[in-house]
Amino acid sequence: MRHGARLAIDPGNARIGVAASDPSGTLASPVETIPRGKGDQQRIAQLVVEREAREVVVGYPASLSGEEGPAARSAREFAQGLAHLLHPVPVRLVDERLTTVTAQGQLLSGASFGKKGAKGGRARRSVIDQAAATVLLQSALDQERSTGRPPGEIVRSSQGE
């Protein structure tokens, strides 16, 4: 298992869930939810520096058929932008199928899930985004620990880096 903190990004249309691992790469924890749009990748870059991340894992919503649909293309484009911005920190696309569903299930089976109404709904979605990133990262860490290889696919920036 490689030593060093990792950051996981679960990019959605409206929000980006972020999780980080401890420096030993053992345990993933939620970090924050970033609004999607202007400055989102710069905030991720800040988190990479703050947490001294050795790598960034981006959730890739692969389809069951193996074809790249619109959400997967969007995740790939986002990851390519990050790869360009973060170079030389590696960015990897990792299959995220069912991470949001798993995160929702874990949250709903736990203690109280917050306020009711519109504000509660936004807060729940924010927590779900972070939880999905945490599930993604923990899965990637566990996969690396069991196989001895980094998970997913390395992303090259649009400039070929």
Side-chain angles (χ1 to χ4, degrees):
M1 186 74 179
R2 299 170 299 153
H3 187 78
R6 277 80 157 180
L7 213 60
I9 308 300
D10 182 34
N13 291 329
R15 293 168 309 281
I16 300 165
V18 182
S21 77
D22 60 297
S24 69
T26 303
L27 184 64
S29 303
V31 173
E32 69 180 74
T33 301
I34 301 169
R36 186 80 185 251
K38 186 176 182 182
D40 56 5
Q41 292 194 352
Q42 287 73 20
R43 177 61 187 141
I44 293 167
Q46 278 182 308
L47 290 169
V48 167
V49 171
E50 287 171 14
R51 297 192 173 255
E52 299 177 354
R54 70 165 297 132
E55 174 173 271
V56 175
V57 172
V58 177
Y60 181 74
S63 68
L64 295 175
S65 70
E67 293 182 26
E68 190 171 86
R73 277 191 296 278
S74 176
R76 183 177 297 281
E77 289 168 8
F78 188 82
Q80 286 171 332
L82 272 179
H84 179 70
L85 180 65
L86 299 176
H87 183 75
V89 175
V91 175
R92 297 182 163 280
L93 283 172
V94 175
D95 187 352
E96 69 157 16
R97 282 179 280 189
L98 306 178
T99 56
T100 301
V101 173
T102 301
Q104 283 177 317
Q106 289 174 350
L107 289 170
L108 290 171
S109 69
S112 172
F113 201 37
K115 300 176 187 174
K116 295 184 179 183
K119 286 187 178 181
R122 279 192 294 278
R124 277 190 296 278
R125 286 188 296 275
S126 176
V127 169
I128 289 169
D129 293 329
Q130 290 177 44
T134 304
V135 169
L136 169 70
L137 183 54
Q138 191 63 57
S139 174
L141 294 170
D142 293 346
Q143 182 181 350
E144 181 173 340
R145 196 171 3 276
S146 69
T147 65
R149 291 187 313 274
E153 157 193 352
I154 194 81
V155 176
R156 309 279 179 224
S157 73
S158 56
Q159 276 67 37
E161 295 172 340

